[in-house]
């Protein structure tokens, strides 16, 4: 890919801000658009060009990236009034880095193909930390030639970049990722609650198990946050629930039983009912604390 290709980025939320900034740092000419316009100001001050609409952004871009919340949001910015499809020129490449339905991804790609616009689905994992540091895992579906064209842009945002197959394969793999993420979150929550009830020093217990066979990204990155009662999100409960809804819908279509994932979905629902949907997905432990009548707390030194 010629690095002079212009990149447009739509969606400057908790993930998109860091991703767009890393594209800019890599030297790509960048144009940005966000529904809440004030979110464009920071990147505009760093050299990005603000767009007036998704269609305007697409008209001035060769590669258009979307990173928004849910399937209807992607459909709106790509296909809706003032959307990318109305501004993009034939030969342009759309890369959707949101997490949405694999079936919807295939439908959107078909609409864009009618205008000779290419599409890749490229959802990501790694949390807000990975977005900021440029260390995301990027799961890509679509034509391999377009994947190779986009690779320098992906390399600005991530370190594990995998082409998984035809359009929709990236989204399916992201749902695989989310099954594992929430499973790790539940295991971590149960383990820390058990440690608390058993009278173990939680800091020492976390240190003891993190480097062994029980270790995981979730445990190393979110375990310390739980001990500090720090519920700031790398990924919110509300967004996690959206992804689990997609997982369970697709599992229903495929006829695959996912009893553990369904249970976690219901546990998160209890937290949403308490108004905690804005907290990080590691706050899953609060649902178990509520069941047990125990709250995780770190001992004082020498306690």
């Amino acid at each position: 890919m010629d690095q002079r290709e212009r990149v447009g980025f739509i969606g400057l939320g908790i993930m998109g801000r860091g991703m767009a900034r890393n594209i800019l740092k890599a030297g790509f000419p960048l144009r940005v658009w966000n529904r809440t316009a004030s979110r464009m100001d920071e990147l505009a001050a760093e050299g990005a060009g603000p767009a007036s609409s998704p269609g305007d952004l697409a008209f001035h871009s060769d590669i258009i990236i979307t990173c928004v919340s849910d399937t209807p949001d992607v459909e709106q910015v790509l296909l809706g009034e003032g959307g990318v499809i109305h501004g993009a020129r034939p030969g342009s490449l759309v890369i959707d880095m949101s997490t949405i339905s694999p079936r919807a991804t295939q439908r959107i790609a078909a609409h864009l193909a009618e205008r000779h616009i290419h599409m890749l689905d490229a959802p990501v994992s790694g949390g807000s930390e990975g977005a900021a540091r440029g260390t995301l895992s990027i799961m890509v579906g679509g034509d391999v030639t377009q994947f190779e064209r986009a690779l320098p842009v992906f390399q600005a945002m991530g370190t594990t970049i995998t082409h998984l197959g035809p359009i929709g394969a990236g989204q399916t793999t992201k749902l695989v990722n989310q099954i594992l993420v929430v499973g790790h979150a539940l295991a971590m929550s149960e383990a820390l609650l058990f440690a608390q009830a058993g009278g173990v020093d939680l800091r020492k217990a976390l240190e003891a198990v993190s480097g062994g066979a029980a270790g995981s990204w979730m445990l190393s990155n979110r375990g310390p946050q739980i001990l500090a009662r720090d519920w700031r999100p790398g990924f919110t409960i509300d967004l996690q629930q959206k992804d689990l809804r997609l997982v369970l819908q697709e599992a229903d279509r495929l006829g695959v039983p996912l009893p553990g994932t369904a249970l976690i979905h219901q546990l998160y629902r209890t937290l949403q009912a308490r108004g905690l949907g804005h907290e990080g997905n590691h706050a899953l432990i609060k649902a178990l604390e509520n069941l047990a009548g125990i709250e995780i707390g770190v001992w004082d030194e020498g306690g």
Side-chain angles (χ1 to χ4, degrees):
M1 193 201 76
D2 188 334
Q3 286 216 355
R4 290 174 297 181
E5 282 201 283
R6 302 162 300 169
V7 179
F9 201 104
I10 296 170
L12 304 175
I14 195 168
M15 298 291 288
R17 281 194 303 273
M19 294 161 69
R21 178 171 286 111
N22 285 324
I23 292 170
L24 192 61
K25 286 180 179 176
F28 291 94
L30 181 68
R31 191 171 291 260
V32 295
W33 184 85
N34 194 78
R35 187 167 48 190
T36 303
S38 60
R39 287 192 180 171
M40 294 188 279
D41 295 343
E42 189 176 329
L43 283 164
E46 297 173 20
S52 60
S53 69
D56 171 59
L57 177 142
F59 182 77
H60 294 95
S61 303
D62 305 301
I63 296 176
I64 303 106
I65 297 172
T66 53
C67 185
V68 295
S69 295
D70 204 348
T71 304
D73 304 298
V74 175
E75 291 172 336
Q76 179 60 39
V77 298
L78 291 182
L79 306 178
E81 185 178 351
V84 164
I85 197 170
H86 302 295
R89 288 162 294 107
S92 298
L93 170 61
V94 169
I95 306 173
D96 179 36
M97 305 189 78
S98 320
T99 299
I100 68 169
S101 158
R103 304 301 143 207
T105 294
Q106 292 167 345
R107 290 195 302 269
I108 293 167
H111 283 295
L112 293 172
E114 291 172 359
R115 304 285 187 98
H116 304 287
I117 302 165
H118 306 289
M119 184 177 178
L120 298 173
D121 59 306
V124 301
S125 181
S128 57
E129 299 97 331
R133 296 170 188 159
T135 58
L136 292 169
S137 174
I138 305 175
M139 299 155 251
V140 189
D143 178 73
V144 68
T145 301
Q146 296 303 316
F147 169 75
E148 291 168 356
R149 173 185 178 183
L151 193 55
V153 181
F154 289 144
Q155 288 169 335
M157 297 179 282
T159 50
T160 303
I161 303 156
T162 309
H163 182 252
L164 291 147
I167 195 77
Q171 294 295 352
T172 299
T173 305
K174 175 59 187 289
L175 299 185
V176 170
N177 183 86
Q178 297 305 72
I179 294 168
L180 290 164
V181 163
V182 298
H184 291 165
L186 181 62
M188 171 181 65
S189 298
E190 290 187 354
L192 290 176
L193 195 70
F194 180 84
Q196 176 79 26
V200 176
D201 183 310
L202 293 181
R203 284 199 183 99
K204 291 180 179 178
L206 188 61
E207 181 181 350
V209 302
S210 291
S216 69
W217 187 98
M218 179 65 72
L219 187 65
S220 296
N221 287 273
R222 300 295 178 237
Q225 277 191 263
I226 289 174
L227 301 195
R229 309 297 294 179
D230 175 4
W231 309 115
R232 288 175 295 176
F235 197 65
T236 67
I237 289 170
D238 283 341
L239 285 175
Q240 189 72 81
Q241 281 290 73
K242 179 267 296 185
D243 289 358
L244 293 184
R245 171 176 51 80
L246 293 172
V247 167
L248 294 172
Q249 286 173 348
E250 189 67 4
D252 188 49
R253 190 188 71 82
L254 295 170
V256 176
L258 299 179
T261 305
L263 170 63
I264 297 166
H265 181 63
Q266 296 300 327
L267 291 172
Y268 275 130
R269 183 169 288 170
T270 70
L271 299 179
Q272 288 180 308
R274 291 163 55 190
L276 303 180
H278 63 285
E279 294 190 348
N281 59 352
H282 55 294
L284 177 63
I285 197 166
K286 290 185 177 183
L288 299 186
E289 289 176 337
N290 187 56
L291 289 172
I294 298 173
E295 184 172 290
I296 294 291
V298 177
W299 293 10
D300 293 331
E301 194 67 34

